[in-house]
Amino acid sequence: MDAMRTTYLEEANDLLSNLERALLALETNANDKSYIEEVFRVMHTLKGNSSMFGLPVIAEFVHDLETIYDKIRLGEMQLSKELLDCTFSCLDHLKIIIHDSDLSNPVNKNNHETLIHQITNFINQKGLSTGKQEQANSEHTLKTYHIYFEPHASIFNNGTNPLFLISELAAMGVSKMIPHFKVPEENQEFASESCFTYWDIYLETEKNDKDLMDVFVFVEDSSKIEITELGSLDLVNNKEFDAFINRGIYKHVKTDLEEIKAFAGKLQELSSGKTETAETVKTTELKSVKKEKVEKTISSIRVSSDKLDELMNLVSELVTTQAGLSLFAANNKITELEVITENVEKLSRRLRDIAFGMTLVPINNMFGRFQRMVRDVSGVLGKEIEFLTEGGETELDKTIIETLTDPLMHILRNSLDHGIERAEEREAKGKSRSGKVVLKAFYSGVFVYIQIVDDGKGIDVDAVRSKAISKGIIKSTDFLSEKEIFDLIFYPGFSTAQKVTDVSGRGVGMDVVKRNITDLKGTILVESKIDEGTTLTIKLPLTLSIIDGLLVVIDHVNYIIPLSVITKCYAVNNKDMMGSFNNLLILDEEQVPFIHLRDEFGYSSMPNAQSQMIVVNNGERKVGISVDTIIGEYQAVVKPLGKYYTKQDFVSGASILGDGTIALVLDTNKLIELFIKKIQTEEKSWQLN
Amino acid sequence: MKKNILIIDDSESIREVIATGLESAGYTVIKGINGEDGLKCLAANPSLELIITDLNMPVMDGISFLKEVRKSEKHKYLPVIILTTESQEAKKQEARNAGATGWIIKPFSKEKLINVIKKVVR
């Protein structure tokens, strides 16, 4: 729980500083819409997070702010200097109250109410002068009142429920309610429809006695109500006072108010001397707590990602240089040099692993937070949801995980809110009552896949289409494939939700999701079937800029195949390969389809009688890839291809070898995909002919 | 669960203003045009939680309506809020004696209306 709280705070701090930046930018470029969007988005995320972590005070506060910026965004309201000032003070206030989310500090509470007043004024566009508001609020100080409330016996006959009045009082501050009961005299018939209860109420509130009297406005004529101010001391939580008033509780007599007043006065006198010492004790306590915290946090430090990036860069340069050194040593046969080279190689490998370890975190860290969110959100929505995670051990770059959390959170929320149906609805469709959402992470080749699979109602293609038309995103005459229609949900401002809810809605989110993932050089794919569910697949490149690969050669060109995808290598006769039916080979008594790369790459001649068949994993199946020769294992520093080669999709990067030549890193999954596509088109054209 | 509120007023505009305000605050509104109509509405909607009624109405006025409501076994304790004006202090007292739960003085804002409603229904 504490770890989650820390995460929340970390995130909230980040969000708030983003908000600050956006607001500052907005102040200088008031007409720039993108900053308003940014402000709105940050608020939206903060609201979502806060409600997820059970902090309604913050969530509601931000919700109000968000409403204002929503109006500005939609052009219903104008941005003014006053509003920006107010937003900045709200921002400062938020920075404080994320640490005091139940406003236990009265100063915070006071500020909070002042700001809420200002915000509401902006929303109502009444533009009440804010200065006056503050003054009115600053007059409010905490006072303890004694309220005696004896409803008329016939109070029920007017349809009044005295308990509503009691709870209205309770909502005004900290209170202690002591109910008393009039005991009907013996032999007297029990009048079941009369009120026998009366109350002694101790209330600590910042409201004044007029506000208190207002509560009883409908019953003041018929009931006995006495309100007495007992002083500014917090008596409700005072143990001595508590003990004092408790003496009389069960006596069923009207409490002697004069006695109580005198006692309260005595306590106040006593405490005014005490408070000072208490205060100083508190501050020293606070200080020691702070110190402890500092000592604890030193075990982990935050490093700027720039520094980490630089470290990674240097390590990859080192690995490249080391490869050159190894080659030089091997060619020159100097014994001493070979020993040194070996050591350098070992060290650089360890250095590489450690440098990577710094940035890699198992995705599990993120899953835990989702579990909590699903639990809470399903409670709010009143849906039965089973949430499963797979592949939590999959490791990803820390920065990727951080960027990914928000988008995933959003997708999940959408799945829960719009995807999964209510239990009754599901039953009617013949599905299990509880919906299932699976979050999967797995490696495939040099990519990490993250899938969110739900078995909900799926995406209604027609609804999305007509919505897009009504929003003017597409024309009614446009013809779009199903995939293109699904992609529309990532369009800015697109949302099929009917209502703005706490959980999702407002049409921010999916576009941000898409942008975040594109920023990570990933792709997102939506597949959905009505009443069967929706699957969102996020594909991210492993940012591992150094991979363990297998260096192979095809026609004097070097290629690297990531070791992680390779299962086994075989030597095969070219004759067998050429003569095979349907590109199938029997390897270890198993039929393995293969790709004859030499052939595919357009080299005709066969230099050797034998080729090497490298069997790689492609999802569930195994596929062979033939190459001329295998050189060996190689630590490859993967550099991106230049911008001229962006269309080249089966090569994911290139690496400089020790001797300065270049090796291309193959993306085997893409390669296989392309090959299958090619075969299919060939088959089609063959059928057509 | 939305709360059902019955509004009785002979002026259509007042009915509509109140109804719009309440509906936007999440209540369900049933409208009656006078006391007699109100009693019919009451009989037809057993799940009512609150009545808001005007006093001066043709056919059956608010006070007589209120008395009828309090007479019925079923609605004896149903909260009833009356609509009055500043000048109707005496009427207010009369309504209280007839069993009105509370009152709201015309003209009023939506916020005030909701505050009053929250005092008598939860």
Side-chain angles (χ1 to χ4, degrees):
Chain A
M1 187 61 213
D2 263 1
M4 290 212 295
R5 172 108 194 131
T6 320
T7 339
Y8 166 76
L9 285 177
E10 247 178 57
E11 255 195 304
N13 274 324
D14 285 350
L15 285 171
L16 288 173
S17 54
N18 283 348
L19 182 60
E20 188 154 37
R21 224 172 300 135
L23 282 171
L24 287 168
L26 188 61
E27 196 166 34
T28 41
N29 305 294
N31 295 322
D32 197 332
K33 275 235 154 197
S34 67
Y35 291 123
I36 296 175
E37 289 284 345
E38 175 76 7
V39 168
F40 179 70
R41 272 185 196 132
V42 174
M43 286 174 175
H44 188 72
T45 314
L46 185 61
K47 179 184 85 169
N49 283 2
S50 305
S51 72
M52 181 189 109
F53 277 86
L55 305 170
V57 175
I58 297 175
E60 277 164 32
F61 187 76
V62 181
H63 178 83
D64 288 346
L65 271 178
E66 189 199 5
T67 312
I68 295 184
Y69 281 90
D70 193 23
K71 281 189 175 172
I72 294 175
R73 191 170 75 120
L74 299 172
E76 288 171 27
M77 226 173 124
Q78 285 296 313
L79 192 68
S80 63
K81 171 130 195 344
E82 287 83 347
L83 178 57
L84 269 175
D85 286 347
C86 172
T87 317
F88 274 115
S89 12
C90 289
L91 175 72
D92 293 343
H93 178 60
L94 277 169
K95 281 182 189 164
I96 297 167
I97 62 166
I98 56 170
H99 300 285
D100 180 18
S101 51
D102 38 27
L103 305 175
S104 47
N105 185 337
V107 179
N108 294 343
K109 196 171 174 165
N110 224 355
N111 281 341
H112 193 74
E113 275 163 12
T114 317
L115 287 170
I116 282 185
H117 253 287
Q118 291 183 12
I119 295 168
T120 340
N121 283 344
F122 275 116
I123 293 175
N124 298 340
Q125 279 188 306
K126 278 179 192 159
L128 272 174
S129 97
T130 45
K132 203 171 150 195
Q133 208 66 44
E134 267 163 34
Q135 208 183 4
N137 264 311
S138 61
E139 275 173 15
H140 285 173
T141 45
L142 284 173
K143 274 181 189 161
T144 307
Y145 292 93
H146 171 266
I147 301 151
Y148 176 77
F149 173 42
E150 184 183 340
H152 193 265
S154 67
I155 186 168
F156 298 135
N157 294 349
N158 276 21
T160 305
N161 186 338
L163 285 179
F164 291 166
L165 304 178
I166 297 289
S167 60
E168 197 177 336
L169 275 183
M172 287 178 156
V174 191
S175 61
K176 185 175 177 65
M177 312 280 180
I178 305 166
H180 306 281
F181 308 100
K182 285 178 240 173
V183 185
E185 280 166 33
E186 264 180 67
N187 304 330
Q188 192 186 346
E189 200 185 327
F190 181 67
S192 62
E193 292 177 355
S194 300
C195 181
F196 289 103
T197 319
Y198 61 102
W199 283 268
D200 266 314
I201 299 156
Y202 298 91
L203 173 70
E204 191 200 8
T205 176
E206 20 183 69
K207 301 260 172 20
N208 56 31
D209 46 355
K210 202 174 151 282
D211 293 331
L212 298 184
M213 206 60 209
D214 239 21
V215 172
F216 300 103
V217 61
F218 293 151
V219 294
E220 59 186 347
D221 303 340
S222 55
S223 306
K224 254 194 221 167
I225 298 147
E226 285 163 31
I227 296 174
T228 324
E229 192 185 317
L230 292 179
S232 56
L233 190 67
D234 174 9
L235 292 169
V236 178
N237 289 322
N238 187 310
K239 276 189 190 140
E240 288 172 62
F241 187 72
D242 208 37
F244 182 76
I245 54 174
N246 270 336
R247 293 178 312 156
I249 283 189
Y250 300 106
K251 283 188 193 161
H252 304 301
V253 289
K254 197 186 158 195
T255 331
D256 186 345
L257 204 54
E258 284 311 311
E259 205 184 318
I260 288 174
K261 251 174 118 177
F263 189 77
K266 210 161 69 187
L267 277 177
Q268 184 135 15
E269 241 169 64
L270 269 171
S271 72
S272 59
K274 242 192 243 168
T275 23
E276 229 170 86
T277 47
E279 211 85 308
T280 45
V281 169
K282 247 187 196 167
T283 41
T284 45
E285 256 174 27
L286 260 179
K287 267 184 199 157
S288 61
V289 168
K290 261 190 189 162
K291 222 179 183 181
E292 221 170 79
K293 257 192 183 163
V294 171
E295 274 161 13
K296 261 187 200 163
T297 47
I298 277 171
S299 62
S300 75
I301 53 163
R302 287 189 90 149
V303 185
S304 82
S305 53
D306 290 351
K307 279 187 185 163
L308 270 184
D309 286 349
E310 205 185 328
L311 178 68
M312 296 301 297
N313 259 334
L314 287 174
V315 170
S316 33
E317 291 301 325
L318 180 68
V319 171
T320 313
T321 316
Q322 171 262 313
L325 182 64
S326 301
L327 190 78
F328 178 75
N331 289 342
N332 288 284
K333 306 265 178 230
I334 305 168
T335 330
E336 290 93 335
L337 185 63
E338 270 175 39
V339 178
I340 296 170
T341 319
E342 237 170 67
N343 272 333
V344 172
E345 191 178 336
K346 258 190 230 159
L347 287 173
S348 66
R349 197 179 280 267
R350 278 186 60 191
L351 186 61
R352 180 200 77 176
D353 287 347
I354 289 170
F356 272 134
M358 280 185 205
T359 56
L360 285 188
V361 225
I363 218 163
N364 243 338
N365 286 15
M366 191 163 63
F367 283 3
R369 296 164 53 186
F370 293 155
Q371 211 98 35
R372 170 68 200 272
M373 184 208 66
V374 171
R375 189 189 147 274
D376 287 359
V377 168
S378 54
V380 170
L381 297 170
K383 292 180 182 174
E384 293 170 31
I385 288 159
E386 188 188 350
F387 180 61
L388 300 173
T389 56
E390 283 173 27
E393 72 287 346
T394 312
E395 279 193 330
L396 259 179
D397 197 287
K398 186 177 185 301
T399 48
I400 294 195
I401 288 201
E402 274 172 5
T403 328
L404 213 55
T405 312
D406 276 350
L408 279 180
M409 198 81 99
H410 209 97
I411 295 172
L412 260 179
R413 260 186 240 159
N414 272 336
S415 280
L416 301 177
D417 200 9
H418 310 313
I420 300 290
E421 314 93 325
R422 296 190 175 283
E424 309 84 62
E425 209 175 310
R426 291 182 62 88
E427 261 182 346
K429 286 179 183 171
K431 299 199 220 177
S432 60
R433 275 182 72 83
S434 62
K436 196 158 130 188
V437 178
V438 187
L439 185 56
K440 280 191 224 178
F442 54 90
Y443 295 110
S444 178
V446 280
F447 292 96
V448 171
Y449 286 79
I450 297 173
Q451 282 188 323
I452 293 126
V453 187
D454 71 52
D455 65 347
K457 62 178 167 229
I459 300 172
D460 186 347
V461 178
D462 295 333
V464 173
R465 195 188 146 86
S466 49
K467 174 88 181 234
I469 294 170
S470 74
K471 291 235 163 189
I473 298 169
I474 57 168
K475 286 196 216 84
S476 58
T477 49
D478 287 348
F479 179 79
L480 283 93
S481 70
E482 196 169 83
K483 189 182 167 297
E484 285 169 312
I485 291 175
F486 287 149
D487 279 343
L488 289 174
I489 61 173
F490 299 113
Y491 206 87
F494 187 91
S495 166
T496 44
Q498 300 289 319
K499 256 198 236 161
V500 174
T501 64
D502 232 14
V503 181
S504 60
R506 293 241 204 218
V508 287
M510 284 318 259
D511 59 319
V512 187
V513 168
K514 172 109 177 181
R515 214 185 42 216
N516 283 347
I517 288 165
T518 319
D519 285 351
L520 294 171
K521 299 195 173 55
T523 53
I524 182 162
L525 179 75
V526 188
E527 293 159 287
S528 184
K529 272 215 172 113
I530 286 284
D531 286 342
E532 280 180 28
T534 307
T535 302
L536 267 119
T537 310
I538 297 169
K539 179 181 168 187
L540 294 162
L542 264 180
T543 49
L544 297 188
S545 50
I546 308 179
I547 58 164
D548 282 316
L550 191 70
L551 187 60
V552 299
V553 178
I554 305 170
D555 200 68
H556 308 295
V557 183
N558 296 312
Y559 295 92
I560 288 166
I561 299 173
L563 265 190
S564 54
V565 299
I566 298 174
T567 55
K568 223 168 181 179
C569 301
Y570 301 88
V572 290
N573 289 323
N574 284 341
K575 259 192 230 159
D576 298 343
M577 213 155 64
M578 300 313 282
S580 74
F581 176 69
N582 255 356
N583 274 42
L584 281 174
L585 268 185
I586 309 289
L587 296 169
D588 281 347
E589 298 175 355
E590 217 181 317
Q591 279 195 332
V592 179
F594 70 90
I595 304 173
H596 188 21
L597 265 194
R598 208 186 156 79
D599 198 24
E600 298 302 327
F601 285 174
Y603 307 118
S604 50
S605 63
M606 286 284 187
N608 316 321
Q610 273 199 331
S611 287
Q612 301 293 328
M613 186 63 72
I614 297 164
V615 179
V616 297
N617 284 323
N618 172 237
E620 303 280 286
R621 68 183 157 207
K622 287 175 180 169
V623 177
I625 291 171
S626 77
V627 299
D628 290 357
T629 37
I630 294 173
I631 293 177
E633 231 178 272
Y634 189 78
Q635 262 194 95
V637 177
V638 184
K639 299 277 182 190
L641 293 175
K643 59 181 172 186
Y644 301 113
Y645 302 101
T646 42
K647 282 190 181 163
Q648 188 61 57
D649 45 6
F650 65 87
V651 176
S652 53
S655 181
I656 300 167
L657 301 183
D659 60 358
T661 54
I662 285 172
L664 298 174
V665 181
L666 293 178
D667 176 352
T668 54
N669 284 325
K670 261 281 155 53
L671 196 66
I672 293 162
E673 202 179 293
L674 280 173
F675 185 67
I676 292 172
K677 223 179 255 172
K678 192 189 128 198
I679 292 177
Q680 281 169 344
T681 41
E682 269 173 11
E683 269 174 10
K684 256 186 210 161
S685 60
W686 179 76
Q687 280 167 351
L688 286 172
N689 289 336
Chain B
M1 184 58 200
K2 280 187 171 182
K3 291 200 162 38
N4 296 328
I5 298 183
L6 171 62
I7 299 171
I8 306 168
D9 199 306
D10 54 325
S11 148
E12 190 184 345
S13 59
I14 288 187
R15 278 200 311 270
E16 289 308 316
V17 165
I18 299 177
T20 317
L22 291 182
E23 273 162 3
S24 72
Y27 296 98
T28 308
V29 176
I30 296 148
K31 288 166 254 184
I33 53 168
N34 58 44
E36 204 175 274
D37 193 35
L39 288 175
K40 278 182 203 154
C41 294
L42 202 52
N45 297 283
S47 63
L48 278 176
E49 304 219 19
L50 171 70
I51 300 172
I52 299 172
T53 178
D54 194 17
L55 290 181
N56 298 324
M57 288 180 293
V59 190
M60 183 191 273
D61 71 359
I63 305 264
S64 324
F65 168 73
L66 190 52
K67 283 179 181 158
E68 284 302 312
V69 173
R70 290 283 175 251
K71 260 187 225 163
S72 100
E73 192 56 36
K74 188 155 188 267
H75 303 297
K76 200 152 56 173
Y77 301 132
L78 188 68
V80 179
I81 290 173
I82 54 162
L83 301 170
T84 69
T85 56
E86 287 290 355
S87 57
Q88 284 177 307
E89 194 56 38
K91 275 267 183 188
K92 193 169 96 183
Q93 204 47 52
E94 196 186 335
R96 281 201 60 80
N97 296 339
T101 315
W103 57 86
I104 181 156
I105 295 162
K106 288 191 274 192
F108 49 84
S109 65
K110 182 189 151 192
E111 287 73 31
K112 200 167 168 211
L113 177 68
I114 303 291
N115 279 340
V116 168
I117 289 176
K118 284 196 175 145
K119 261 191 196 315
V120 292
V121 283
R122 280 290 143 93

